[in-house]
Amino acid sequence: MKNKKTAVLMSMILILSLVAAFGLRSFMAPCIHEDGSFGSCHWAGEALFGLSLLMAGQAILGLFLARGRREFFLCIFCDAILGVCLPGLLIRLCTMATMRCQSIMKPGVWVLMILMGGFSLTGFFLPGSSQGKERKGKT
Amino acid sequence: MNLKKLPLLNLKRNPGRTLALVLLTAVLSFSIFGGTVVVSSLRRGLGSLTERLGADIIVVPSQAQSKVSFQDIFLQGTVGAFYMSRENLTRTLEVEGVEKAAAQVFLASLKADCCSIRIQVIGIDPETDFVIRPWLEKSGSRGLKDMDVVVGTKVGAEVGETLRIYEERCHVAGKLAPTGTGLDSAVYCNMSTMKKLLSAAEAKGISHKVSSDDEDVVSAIYVKVKEGYDIGKVNSAIQGHTRKASAIRTRSMITDVSSSLLAISRVILGLIGAIWGMGFLLLFLAFAMIARERQQEFALLRVLGSTKKALKGLIRKEAFLCCLSGGFVGIGLACLLVFPFQTLIEMSLSLPYLIPEPSGLFLIALGALGASVASGFASSAFAAWRLSQADPGRLLRQG
């Protein structure tokens, strides 16, 4: 039952990370300029896209490798913190708060990363997440 | 068994039912908190606009009404520029009843070094200005020297940093407090800096409607009317005395915004009411169904010696725990949407939008939480009463 709960949390993380990855290529994509050039927000978008795919990968592994699920939750939590820090703090975005990267990409990523961070933290502290290890110890 | 722990144990035993109740209350608190924050932000934005305008009349070129509207620059931060003769400033000052008048020059389409952003640059005369200067003083900046700029809160440059506009390095001398208006995305400088920026733009082959040699143009004249004079009459006098210019009463501009705000507020408050009503009805039905489902459980508790009051208390405690956690979840989710996306909300509404102070937000959150808990209590009251009135013997015999 507890293992089922962690699986549900991991599935939620998988869905959210895929939404983030898809969003960064569509409705949350950073500013596009008329002349085809791009600013630093473009690289923030690329880094976040990569991070989202990494989190999706970790969530898939966490779903199938029930034994190490707790460790995967911890990894995803660290990724989520990185995801919050990336736009604006680690990689500068555009000057104006009204621009797409500041008004859509950053808050959108923040919301998704906070939700994923919350789910991963819950999963980490759920007793069921370390069930695999306990089972291993007993055998 | 400790009866005090029973409500919590009941909730834990039925996670599906508990989750449904928590989610239902979360919807209630989400709509109340989110909607109230948006409406309060709009009201605060209007207050800020009234305070920020600081003038009774604004004189703008007649073209400003048809091309890029002055109101759009002020409310939405649309980048635009329009010019009229500086002679209008002298003419305005000549009108009886005018206490003071200050001119501003707008410059559009200047591109900063980052992301090719268009910035609205507003040139002011620090000696005569009475609109921006009080805000500059509030922000702690020590006046505008040459090549100094003061930026609005939405311009991503901090005090002490350098903002490059047309390869000209401008020192950021101050950052204004948020106003919730389009002026948050503007950059302010003195007239001398404005001239240098224009020259820099011209050197790059970008022509503007106003040249750096052309000192006899202004974009807007802010007028303060003497006390005791009728603003309407002074407005008409300015209108007749100036050339190719329109005098706008700031009050009429605020009335326009106020009526739009009222319409949006009504829609939002109507939505909150509808969601709250539906949520309350659903909660009522949910508690009524739960009460029916748990009749035997409560009959057994009555047989074991629980009083009617204790049973009522048990249901109320369960409702309280569900509604409290649901309230927190709803407020948390609303915070995740309303605060990070405030710029997007402001841009979508095209109205002044200023998030309330933390103390105000705390009160709204407390109100939303209280409303959620109260609705939980109210909707569970009938169920609690019905269960306490039922005959335990009859219920147990029915099986």
Side-chain angles (χ1 to χ4, degrees):
Chain A
M1 176 66 186
K2 280 166 186 168
N3 213 4
K4 210 173 172 183
K5 276 183 190 169
T6 56
V8 169
L9 284 171
M10 206 51 110
S11 310
M12 297 289 281
I13 292 170
L14 176 63
I15 292 166
L16 289 174
S17 57
L18 290 175
V19 167
F22 173 73
L24 285 161
R25 282 281 185 265
S26 54
F27 60 91
M28 289 197 304
C31 318
I32 304 152
H33 302 142
E34 289 163 9
D35 58 356
S37 64
F38 42 75
S40 56
C41 63
H42 167 81
W43 298 114
E46 291 295 298
L48 285 166
F49 177 70
L51 186 70
S52 305
L53 289 183
L54 177 73
M55 289 169 94
Q58 284 170 347
I60 291 169
L61 285 174
L63 268 174
F64 289 105
L65 305 171
R67 280 185 183 178
R69 198 169 278 171
R70 198 158 189 252
E71 286 75 12
F72 279 116
F73 275 128
L74 194 63
C75 283
I76 292 168
F77 179 70
C78 296
D79 291 343
I81 293 175
L82 181 64
V84 171
C85 297
L86 264 175
L89 198 69
L90 296 176
I91 303 178
R92 280 193 78 157
L93 300 180
C94 291
T95 315
M96 302 294 285
T98 45
M99 289 195 79
R100 206 178 149 78
C101 59
Q102 292 263 22
S103 62
I104 298 173
M105 185 182 87
K106 190 167 89 170
V109 165
W110 274 6
V111 169
L112 290 169
M113 291 294 167
I114 288 170
L115 286 175
M116 283 194 270
F119 286 141
S120 57
L121 209 60
T122 313
F124 181 75
F125 285 111
L126 267 182
S129 60
S130 55
Q131 211 175 24
K133 267 199 165 176
E134 282 166 11
R135 213 177 281 158
K136 191 185 171 188
K138 277 175 191 173
T139 53
Chain B
M1 184 178 31
N2 189 352
L3 210 63
K4 281 181 183 171
K5 284 184 181 173
L6 196 58
L8 200 64
L9 291 172
N10 275 335
L11 294 176
K12 274 186 179 174
R13 201 184 55 188
N14 290 293
R17 190 178 70 197
T18 309
L19 189 70
L21 287 173
V22 167
L23 287 178
L24 212 55
T25 334
V27 172
L28 284 183
S29 61
F30 177 88
S31 65
I32 295 172
F33 181 75
T36 314
V37 168
V38 171
V39 172
S40 306
S41 304
L42 286 169
R43 284 187 184 154
R44 192 161 178 244
L46 181 70
S48 160
L49 172 72
T50 316
E51 202 184 339
R52 184 67 182 263
L53 275 169
D56 300 312
I57 298 163
I58 303 171
V59 185
V60 290
S62 306
Q63 56 169 337
Q65 299 292 75
S66 53
K67 286 187 177 180
V68 181
S69 163
F70 176 74
Q71 206 155 314
D72 287 348
I73 291 178
F74 218 93
L75 301 181
Q76 295 165 32
T78 310
V79 178
F82 32 75
Y83 306 99
M84 61 183 170
S85 169
R86 186 173 272 270
E87 197 190 2
N88 280 332
L89 177 63
T90 323
R91 284 172 171 270
T92 304
L93 282 165
E94 285 168 3
V95 172
E96 198 189 338
V98 171
E99 188 186 336
K100 46 190 172 181
Q104 287 186 358
V105 179
F106 297 166
L107 185 62
S109 304
L110 273 181
K111 288 181 178 182
D113 57 336
C114 170
C115 307
S116 304
I117 180 79
R118 281 159 63 104
I119 294 179
Q120 179 79 56
V121 183
I122 299 177
I124 59 166
D125 182 359
E127 297 297 315
T128 56
D129 183 82
F130 62 93
V131 181
I132 307 293
R133 207 177 54 192
W135 294 88
L136 290 180
E137 283 162 6
K138 267 188 194 173
S139 73
S141 98
R142 298 173 185 171
L144 281 170
K145 293 174 194 163
D146 280 1
M147 297 317 284
D148 270 2
V149 290
V150 170
V151 296
T153 190
K154 281 184 191 153
V155 179
E158 298 304 321
V159 178
E161 284 184 7
T162 303
L163 192 69
R164 282 172 66 192
I165 304 171
Y166 277 117
E167 302 301 325
E168 286 289 330
R169 300 171 82 86
C170 300
H171 172 251
V172 180
K175 193 160 189 170
L176 295 173
T179 63
T181 66
L183 296 180
D184 284 345
S185 354
V187 170
Y188 302 88
C189 62
N190 64 18
M191 295 297 185
S192 160
T193 310
M194 176 68 100
K195 273 180 71 179
K196 281 183 187 162
L197 293 178
L198 283 165
S199 304
E202 278 162 23
K204 280 188 161 271
I206 297 154
S207 67
H208 287 278
K209 291 171 197 166
V210 56
S211 86
S212 54
D213 301 329
D214 210 355
E215 284 185 23
D216 64 345
V217 289
V218 292
S219 299
I221 300 164
Y222 288 75
V223 180
K224 187 89 185 160
V225 175
K226 278 181 192 167
E227 267 194 48
Y229 279 85
D230 180 32
I231 300 172
K233 282 180 183 169
V234 176
N235 189 63
S236 306
I238 293 172
Q239 184 81 51
H241 205 64
T242 49
R243 283 179 187 166
K244 291 180 182 174
S246 305
I248 310 165
R249 279 187 69 175
T250 50
R251 200 175 151 192
S252 69
M253 205 166 115
I254 290 163
T255 311
D256 286 352
V257 177
S258 180
S259 45
S260 308
L261 189 147
L262 203 69
I264 289 176
S265 298
R266 273 183 192 158
V267 171
I268 295 171
L269 291 174
L271 278 173
I272 293 175
I275 293 171
W276 195 85
M278 272 177 64
F280 183 78
L281 192 73
L282 282 172
L283 264 180
F284 182 84
L285 288 174
F287 276 115
M289 282 164 70
I290 288 166
R292 200 177 168 80
E293 192 186 293
R294 294 171 68 186
Q295 269 180 342
Q296 290 215 326
E297 178 192 329
F298 281 85
L300 205 64
L301 282 171
R302 283 278 287 132
V303 169
L304 286 171
S306 291
T307 59
K308 285 180 181 179
K309 199 180 167 187
L311 288 186
K312 275 184 190 174
L314 186 70
I315 293 192
R316 280 190 193 135
K317 271 180 197 165
E318 283 186 32
F320 174 76
L321 289 171
C322 283
C323 294
L324 191 72
S325 40
F328 277 118
V329 170
I331 291 169
L333 287 174
C335 287
L336 270 182
L337 285 180
V338 172
F339 301 125
F341 288 103
Q342 56 175 299
T343 310
L344 193 65
I345 296 171
E346 185 187 338
M347 288 194 296
S348 312
L349 293 173
S350 303
L351 282 170
Y353 185 88
L354 195 58
I355 292 278
E357 294 284 327
S359 56
L361 287 173
F362 179 73
L363 284 177
I364 296 172
L366 215 61
L369 205 61
S372 306
V373 172
S375 54
F377 264 133
S379 53
S380 66
F382 175 70
W385 174 79
R386 209 174 142 185
L387 275 175
S388 65
Q389 293 303 311
D391 175 24
R394 184 178 55 84
L395 288 172
L396 285 174
R397 273 196 304 277
Q398 277 175 356

